[in-house]
Each structure stands twice: as structure tokens, then as C-alpha cells.
Amino acid sequence: MGSLINRRQFSLEWGHCDPAGIAFNGRFFEFFDWGTWALFEAALGVKPAGMAAAYGLPSQPLMPLVEVSAQFLAAVRFGDVMEMTSQVREFRRSSFDVEHRISVGTALAVTGLEKRVWVIRDAADPSVIKARPMAAEIIKRFEVQ
């Protein structure tokens, strides 16, 4: 049994680049965030704002980033069309790892790994967030037979 892989294609825009037209490395962390939310939307079949209602959660779930790493293997330049794949590598009690791979053509350009935590806002004080175990029903949506 495998894990769902979400694919997304997009072009590197001028605003993502340094003055030489090469992608600013910090932008890839933004792309990873896009990939994680798109992966959850694909797996769960609802937009992020609809997760609470769809899964009977007391508040909109959040997935704060607690650790991230990246390897930059090749330059990505203005106008390059990238394909990013994102998949959950491991689910734990309330945390999970998402792996991202960004390619330009057939060349792997960037890899990334995020550790995130599934949290819910506290009902008594919405400014407080608390880690919560992810429901088995949600995790199962990431499985591919």
C-alpha cells in the first residue's frame, strides 16, 4: 500500500527570483506550504476552510510547521516550469512528515521535508492551539491501494 502523491505544475515568476533571474531559495519553503495544503485538499476532498465541518472537528485544523529542510540540487530560473510532488512520508500521533520534490523537465532541482503538527484551537481560549491526534479516518484518505 502506498501514499497519495499530489502533483502540481507552475512557472517560476519574476517575483520569486533574485535580480539574476534565479529562484530565491526562501521561496521554495512557500512552495512546500502550497504543496502540503494542496495534498490535504486532494486527499480529503474539501478545501482547507471546509475541513472542520466535513470531519466534525471543533475548529478549523491548523498544521503549523515545526521543522523544515531543503536540498537545492539545481538552479531554477525565471520562466521555468516546475512540477512539484508532495506526499506524507509518515504519520505519527499528532505530527507528520511531508516530502516535496521539485523538478524542471527531467532534472530534480529541489527536495524538501517538513514536519508539521495537527492542532485545533482551544474552545475556551481560541488564541491557544493544542496538538490533537489525527483521526484514523483522515489518515486513511492518504492511502493508495
Side-chain angles (χ1 to χ4, degrees), residues 80-139:
D80 281 349
V81 175
M82 297 174 280
E83 179 172 275
M84 178 169 59
T85 61
S86 303
Q87 75 180 104
V88 173
R89 187 153 73 169
E90 180 183 2
F91 283 107
R92 289 176 294 281
R93 186 182 85 69
S94 61
S95 65
F96 56 96
D97 296 335
V98 182
E99 179 181 59
H100 305 280
R101 298 171 64 82
I102 297 176
S103 299
V104 175
T106 60
L108 182 61
V110 180
T111 63
L113 185 63
E114 298 177 311
K115 179 184 281 187
R116 291 180 177 256
V117 179
W118 185 258
V119 301
I120 302 294
R121 293 195 184 278
D122 184 68
D125 183 357
S127 68
V128 174
I129 58 175
K130 295 183 177 184
R132 178 177 178 159
M134 191 178 293
E137 169 190 6
I138 291 173
I139 294 171

Side-chain angles (χ1 to χ4, degrees), residues 10 19 29 32 49 56 60-61 67 69 71 78 89 92 94 96 107 118 134-135 144-145:
F10 56 101
F29 298 104
F32 297 164
Q60 173 61 34
E67 187 176 325
S69 64
Q71 287 187 305
F78 173 59
R89 187 153 73 169
R92 289 176 294 281
S94 61
F96 56 96
W118 185 258
M134 191 178 293
V144 176
Q145 303 296 331

